[in-house]
Amino acid sequence: MFRLAALAFLTLSCFAVEANDVTDAINNASKHYQAGELSQAAAQLDYAATLIRQQKAAEVVKAFPDPPTGWQARDADTNVAAGAVLGGGISVSRNYYNDQHSIDIEMLLDSPMLQAFTAMLSNPSVIVMSGGKLIKVQGLNAVQKTEGDQFELQFVTHSNAMITLRGDTAAQSVIEQLANAINLKQL
């Protein structure tokens, strides 16, 4: 019980420190801006935005489903891009594996790159011409593609996150199972 309380306190303390760092950076940006130090103001705002994206990435990691029976999963990798890279997006990925197969799930959030994919999803002709098939995942339009022995499933959530699942065609049913188990509310 004591360990649980200590862990909860440490977790809350980490978020409090990050929140203070964010507000400190925003306050510093305001001071620099008022002093006419525009480069320093922009740098502080970029720093605050990066800290916020790091917090969001830590929350997004919780959206990944548990590995199916007989499978294992590596820890999730997060990548928080600065404004010029991916338009300031967040990329989070996790690998699932067993003795025979490997499946990767990648989530891209808050990136202008999503607009092009969302436009493609709204035009089934483009999907078919590119070798894809339009299906539903958790009630959302998704594109399913098979190239050789590789299977890919992509969809965009209501919260504007693009999710891509890739693996062997032999693992297609597990890929679909994982896609339907992603906690979309966590995004």
Side-chain angles (χ1 to χ4, degrees), residues 62-118:
K62 298 174 187 174
F64 287 105
D66 291 331
T69 304
W71 288 72
Q72 297 179 344
R74 291 181 172 70
D75 290 338
D77 292 322
T78 61
N79 183 12
V80 177
V85 182
L86 300 179
I90 298 169
S91 173
V92 183
S93 62
R94 188 172 190 195
N95 175 263
Y96 296 78
Y97 63 95
N98 65 16
D99 292 338
Q100 300 170 356
H101 305 288
S102 177
I103 297 171
D104 292 310
I105 300 177
E106 299 171 9
M107 299 181 191
L108 179 63
L109 296 92
D110 302 337
S111 173
M113 292 172 44
L114 296 174
Q115 292 173 345
F117 187 75
T118 303

Side-chain angles (χ1 to χ4, degrees), residues 18-101:
E18 284 186 26
N20 287 338
D21 289 345
V22 170
T23 55
D24 287 349
I26 292 169
N27 290 336
N28 287 336
S30 180
K31 289 175 188 172
H32 285 297
Y33 181 77
Q34 290 171 0
E37 300 165 339
L38 301 181
S39 293
Q40 293 89 334
Q44 287 296 302
L45 289 173
D46 286 343
Y47 177 64
T50 299
L51 291 176
I52 292 169
R53 286 186 193 99
Q54 287 173 343
Q55 285 178 323
K56 185 172 181 179
E59 289 298 312
V60 169
V61 166
K62 298 174 187 174
F64 287 105
D66 291 331
T69 304
W71 288 72
Q72 297 179 344
R74 291 181 172 70
D75 290 338
D77 292 322
T78 61
N79 183 12
V80 177
V85 182
L86 300 179
I90 298 169
S91 173
V92 183
S93 62
R94 188 172 190 195
N95 175 263
Y96 296 78
Y97 63 95
N98 65 16
D99 292 338
Q100 300 170 356
H101 305 288

